[in-house]
Amino acid sequence: MSQHYYSQKPEVSHDRRTINTVLRGKNLRFTSDAGVFSKGDIDYGSRVLIEAMEIPDGSAVLDVGCGYGPIGITAAHLAPKGHVTMVDINSRAVELAKENALQNGIRNVTVMESDMLGALEGRKFDVILTNPPIRAGKAVVHGIFEQAYEHLNEGGTLWIVIQKKQGAPSAAAKLEELFGSVEEVGKDKGYRIIKAYK
């Protein structure tokens, strides 16, 4: 378990690499490394979420489990008058996300180390985005949903991507219980995009 991407301090040797990609029409360059989620390329689930997510300009946005930053950095690009807070438990991912924001000229972000939303006490957001760490287990994933509800402003939205075979039905049921208003807004290759309204 100590070597998983949701470890606080990965002990695996560094293996830095560059990923050049286009997200929402913008050319972006990411540096990734061993010990972080989807180090070889931006994973398909994150891409599906990035294509679907709606970020009103001026929003306070939170990216939970940001990894090296593709979701949060794209959100910041889509809402230049807004501000995106990006959190991850993995210290290596946090450093990479900071570096990637800088190298892509994105200034309207704050990147922090946080176990789920633990470091964000008292803060509220208009939009929360997550590609949740399924391998960390259902208790962690559902904990993220519960904390997200507490940290959303009234009228805010939580966007998640989850594979059907990795628990989309139980995730949707949990969100229904918390939020009441839940909608599946997209699906692609077994991935479901679920949007919950507060």
Side-chain angles (χ1 to χ4, degrees):
M1 176 139 168
S2 64
Q3 297 306 301
H4 278 302
Y5 59 81
Y6 48 83
S7 300
Q8 190 169 9
K9 302 227 177 298
E11 292 160 13
V12 290
S13 302
H14 288 281
D15 178 21
R16 286 167 66 89
R17 58 188 69 194
T18 300
I19 298 163
N20 291 297
T21 191
V22 179
L23 297 173
R24 295 293 284 265
K26 184 171 173 66
N27 290 310
L28 295 167
R29 189 171 85 241
F30 295 97
T31 302
S32 85
D33 199 350
V36 302
F37 176 64
S38 195
K39 68 176 183 189
D41 196 4
I42 294 157
D43 75 292
Y44 199 79
S46 292
R47 287 183 181 276
V48 175
L49 177 58
I50 286 165
E51 288 308 313
M53 65 192 189
E54 296 162 10
I55 316 291
D57 204 0
S59 298
V61 182
L62 174 64
D63 175 9
V64 182
C66 66
Y68 51 81
I71 296 170
I73 286 169
T74 306
H77 165 62
L78 293 172
K81 294 190 181 77
H83 190 86
V84 179
T85 302
M86 299 160 63
V87 297
D88 203 295
I89 192 171
N90 181 324
S91 57
R92 190 175 288 183
V94 166
E95 290 312 309
L96 287 166
K98 288 177 181 174
E99 187 180 325
N100 287 328
L102 282 174
Q103 76 177 347
N104 286 291
I106 301 289
R107 301 281 181 267
N108 54 327
V109 295
T110 303
V111 189
M112 300 163 58
E113 197 173 311
S114 179
D115 184 357
M116 298 200 280
L117 284 71
L120 300 167
E121 202 168 327
R123 293 187 56 190
K124 297 272 191 177
F125 300 90
D126 304 308
V127 180
I128 299 180
L129 309 163
T130 188
N131 181 352
I134 300 300
R135 289 185 198 151
K138 188 186 274 192
V140 170
V141 174
H142 287 191
I144 289 171
F145 298 164
E146 288 163 1
Q147 291 180 17
Y149 182 83
E150 296 302 321
H151 285 272
L152 267 177
N153 287 318
E154 286 297 325
T157 52
L158 168 66
W159 294 74
I160 75 157
V161 59
I162 193 163
Q163 275 186 292
K164 187 175 182 188
K165 66 181 183 192
Q166 290 186 322
S170 78
K174 179 67 178 177
L175 292 168
E176 195 78 51
E177 178 193 309
L178 285 166
F179 288 83
S181 181
V182 177
E183 183 187 352
E184 186 181 288
V185 292
K187 54 184 174 185
D188 189 348
K189 293 189 180 170
Y191 288 93
R192 301 285 192 268
I193 304 294
I194 302 170
K195 180 181 180 185
Y197 301 81
K198 184 165 179 181

